[in-house]
Amino acid sequence: LTSDLNLRGFYISAFFRRVWDLIEWRNYGGIWRPENVEGGRMWGASFGASFLGFKIKYDRIYAYYDSGKRMIYRPRNSYFASLSARNLELSLLYLDPRFSNPSNTRFLDFFLRIDGYLKFEIWGKGFLFGVENITNRKNYFIEGYPSRGRTFIFSVFGKL
């Protein structure tokens, strides 16, 4: 069940899902394999706004197994913001700490990533310079597997 409302750059979305026979990928001694797990319920809301090159989004999610424990790797709160000017784009992603095991005894620290890009065109060619994960924070989506550190991007675009 999902419901959306959009009004002049603002939106609200709400959802509820009942799931049975969930499949989660689990790491067994370095080998990932799918595993059927108990069912559960997920519900939440998303709020956002977009105006004058600025976007912001907030998600609030409740995700529980039938046993009452929180589902793994699902943050309760997540925030996304971006600012786009003529040639500059900055974005920020934040995820709350998340449990990394079904018994809810281990968790991953919060996730924070800030990216910046500069785009421009010269002589009919497009150029992009960027830095992803500006803070060089060691973030984890999955326990034991860090995301990339600070990454420098350079791209040239053109038509053939």
Side-chain angles (χ1 to χ4, degrees):
L1 175 65
T2 302
S3 180
D4 296 319
L5 174 65
N6 290 299
L7 181 64
R8 296 185 180 169
F10 294 91
Y11 74 89
I12 298 173
S13 177
F15 72 93
F16 174 82
R17 288 188 196 111
R18 172 69 175 112
V19 291
W20 294 270
D21 297 326
L22 274 171
I23 296 174
E24 290 180 350
W25 285 88
R26 302 267 171 95
N27 184 348
Y28 292 94
I31 297 173
W32 287 86
R33 66 179 196 212
E35 182 176 297
N36 287 325
V37 297
E38 61 183 312
R41 292 171 176 79
M42 293 176 259
W43 66 96
S46 183
F47 307 93
S50 177
F51 53 92
L52 301 174
F54 181 72
K55 295 177 187 175
I56 190 165
K57 180 181 178 193
Y58 168 72
D59 294 316
R60 176 72 173 182
I61 298 170
Y62 297 91
Y64 289 89
Y65 296 113
D66 287 335
S67 66
K69 299 282 188 183
R70 282 184 44 198
M71 290 184 184
I72 62 172
Y73 299 121
R74 288 169 176 87
R76 182 157 287 165
N77 297 289
S78 66
Y79 303 86
F80 175 78
S82 71
L83 176 63
S84 295
R86 184 176 177 168
N87 296 331
L88 181 67
E89 182 177 319
L90 292 170
S91 65
L92 176 141
L93 174 63
Y94 171 87
L95 305 174
D96 270 355
R98 293 127 10 255
F99 286 110
S100 60
N101 68 336
S103 59
N104 291 176
T105 57
R106 292 192 320 268
F107 67 92
L108 299 176
D109 197 8
F110 69 90
F111 184 102
L112 175 66
R113 181 174 160 161
I114 302 171
D115 301 331
Y117 302 95
L118 177 65
K119 305 172 194 174
F120 57 92
E121 189 173 314
I122 299 176
W123 304 299
K125 302 278 189 246
F127 295 88
L128 177 125
F129 294 96
V131 181
E132 296 177 345
N133 194 5
I134 291 171
T135 62
N136 202 28
R137 180 171 161 65
K138 193 173 192 178
N139 290 307
Y140 292 86
F141 278 116
I142 306 258
E143 187 174 43
Y145 296 87
S147 61
R148 288 188 321 228
R150 184 179 300 123
T151 305
F152 296 93
I153 306 291
F154 173 71
S155 298
V156 178
F157 303 92
K159 294 180 182 179
L160 296 176

